[in-house]
């Protein structure tokens, strides 16, 4: 990529990346908002829907694992565009398969394609985000993730409006795809070509081989950052999947109040991420991660031990604020070294998404035996471990990165 960008070009690049982060949030919310309609059209049981939705998880994991190799060969911009277009195709298949064909297999395959596109796009846009951070010399990744949350909110609102006015699922999905594709056509021109691409022209170091990209999974710093992200993503994912039920079962509130508390959590997390850049620039990653872990721990303890809904609502806000930082800050730390940035961001992203996808079902199994409130103790432990390991996110300089590469090479002889 061209490193001679001026201030205006960096600003345009930054704005484009905000919109790019919002697009996957918008498309995911478009799908989620129509799941009840698709379930009813398919006549699927809860268990059958679980298997159908597994297509999304499978496609996402495959995409995440392939992303670093694609970015290394093609660059971030190419993979972002490809990912958004592939996920759009998947969304069309879901809409047609769920309503017109009424085929569970078609919806499964559509979700797998959708998940793959989102998986590669997720890593690529985070690589792009870390590159913007380096160019602007500001902490921006939490703000980019806030844009993803805003996109999710807009997608949910659009889905709710589509249901109210009686727009069919295929037409709704087609409109969401049209918005995505038109946005991509406009935005890709504003993003520099080749971010994250491994080639010898960008550095005195040779480009990373496929073997070296796989080896980042064994780097001590990358593993520790991955554990931090896994713990904090578990805190976020458990709230996304279980918070309304936790409040209904644990505090005997109405389903409407349970949904409101989830909105409270998302709002707190979005506000935290929006303010994250300023906090990170002032206090640094390690202090912010420790403070966010303490906030999440306090919030979870209040929810687990609280005796009233009002008291628990305060805990939910603290939980949301605490969960806001782990994922974006961890990805930012993984992108410190420009050489191999796609591989490290990909590894940490995969850890985070494994927590999103595997953690909540595990919580459900525990909740079946011990109750959902007590099951949250596992989340509490995961967040505590993340807080204790937050020192791993301390920024590394160019010299440190160079030394690490030299040490790694010397070990191979």
């Amino acid at each position: 990529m061209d490193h001679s960008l001026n201030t205006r070009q960096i600003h345009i690049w930054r704005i484009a990346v905000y919109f790019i982060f919002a697009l996957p949030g918008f498309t995911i919310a478009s799908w989620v908002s129509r799941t009840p309609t698709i379930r009813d059209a398919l006549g699927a049981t809860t268990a059958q829907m679980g298997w159908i939705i597994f297509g999304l998880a499978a496609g996402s994991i495959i995409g995440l694992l392939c992303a670093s190799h694609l970015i290394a060969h093609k660059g971030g911009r190419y993979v972002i565009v490809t990912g958004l277009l592939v996920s759009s195709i998947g969304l069309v298949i879901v809409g047609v398969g769920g309503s017109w064909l009424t085929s569970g297999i078609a919806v499964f395959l559509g979700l797998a394609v959708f998940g793959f596109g989102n998986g590669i796009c997720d890593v690529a846009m985070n690589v792009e985000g870390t590159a913007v951070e380096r160019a602007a010399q500001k902490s921006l990744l939490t703000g980019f993730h806030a844009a993803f949350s805003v996109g999710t909110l807009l997608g949910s609102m659009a889905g709710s409006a589509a249901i109210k006015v009686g727009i069919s699922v295929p037409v709704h999905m087609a409109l969401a795809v049209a918005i995505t594709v038109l946005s991509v056509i406009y935005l890709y021109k504003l993003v520099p070509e080749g971010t994250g691409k491994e080639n010898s022209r960008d550095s005195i170091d040779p480009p990373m081989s496929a073997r070296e990209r796989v080896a980042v999974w064994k780097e001590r710093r990358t593993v520790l950052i991955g554990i931090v992200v896994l713990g904090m993503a578990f805190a976020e994912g458990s709230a996304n999947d279980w918070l309304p039920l936790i409040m209904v079962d644990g505090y005997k509130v109405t389903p409407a109040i349970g949904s409101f508390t989830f909105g409270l959590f998302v709002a707190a997390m979005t506000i935290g991420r929006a303010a994250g850049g300023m906090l990170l620039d002032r206090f640094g990653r390690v202090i912010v991660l420790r403070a966010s872990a303490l906030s999440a721990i306090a919030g979870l303890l209040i929810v687990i031990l609280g005796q009233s809904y009002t008291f628990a609502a305060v805990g939910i806000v603290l939980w949301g604020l605490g969960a806001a930082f782990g994922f974006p800050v961890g990805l930012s730390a993984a992108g410190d070294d420009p050489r191999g940035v796609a591989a490290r961001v990909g590894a940490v992203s995969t850890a985070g998404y494994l927590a999103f996808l595997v953690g909540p079902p595990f919580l459900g199994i525990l909740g079946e035996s011990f109750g959902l409130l007590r099951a949250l103790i596992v989340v509490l432990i995961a967040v505590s471990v993340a807080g204790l390991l937050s020192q791993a996110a301390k920024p590394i300089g160019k010299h440190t990165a160079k030394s690490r590469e030299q040490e790694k090479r010397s070990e191979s002889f």
Side-chain angles (χ1 to χ4, degrees), residues 1 49 51 136 143-144 150 165 178 187 213 267 272-273 275 282 289 301 310 326:
M1 79 174 258
M49 277 303 288
W51 281 109
F144 293 144
V150 171
V165 300
L187 291 170
R213 287 195 294 274
R273 284 179 171 171
R282 182 166 183 179
L289 279 176
L301 282 172
T310 305

Side-chain angles (χ1 to χ4, degrees), residues 150-209:
V150 171
T152 305
L153 179 62
L154 292 174
S156 300
M157 291 168 63
S160 179
I163 292 167
K164 283 182 180 177
V165 300
I167 295 175
S168 69
V169 174
V171 173
H172 177 194
M173 297 300 108
L175 289 171
V177 164
I179 290 168
T180 303
V181 172
L182 289 173
S183 300
V184 169
I185 290 170
Y186 178 76
L187 291 170
Y188 93 94
K189 301 172 186 175
L190 309 179
V191 177
E193 186 180 5
T195 304
K197 190 173 182 178
E198 295 281 346
N199 62 69
S200 56
R201 291 176 301 173
D202 285 345
S203 169
I204 57 170
D205 293 319
M208 262 191 168
S209 65

Side-chain angles (χ1 to χ4, degrees), residues 68-142:
S68 65
H69 302 289
L70 289 172
I71 296 165
H73 286 97
K74 297 291 187 179
R77 186 177 78 173
Y78 178 91
V79 177
I80 287 169
V81 172
T82 302
L84 287 170
L85 293 178
V86 168
S87 66
S88 295
I89 293 168
L91 209 55
V92 170
I93 296 171
V94 168
V96 173
S99 287
W100 290 347
L101 300 178
T102 58
S103 165
I105 294 173
V107 176
F108 176 92
L109 292 174
L111 286 174
V113 174
F114 180 60
F116 178 82
N118 269 326
I120 61 173
C121 179
D122 183 88
V123 177
M125 69 187 188
N126 278 294
V127 168
E128 204 72 43
T130 60
V132 178
E133 279 192 326
R134 284 195 301 272
Q137 297 185 331
K138 291 180 181 178
S139 298
L140 300 171
L141 214 55
T142 53

Side-chain angles (χ1 to χ4, degrees), residues 278-312:
M278 178 184 66
L279 294 173
L280 286 162
D281 285 336
R282 182 166 183 179
F283 299 108
R285 288 180 194 151
V286 176
I287 290 175
V288 168
L289 279 176
R290 285 175 178 166
S292 67
L294 286 173
S295 177
I297 289 167
L300 284 162
L301 282 172
I302 290 171
V303 172
I304 294 167
L305 304 174
Q307 299 298 313
S308 72
Y309 163 74
T310 305
F311 192 42

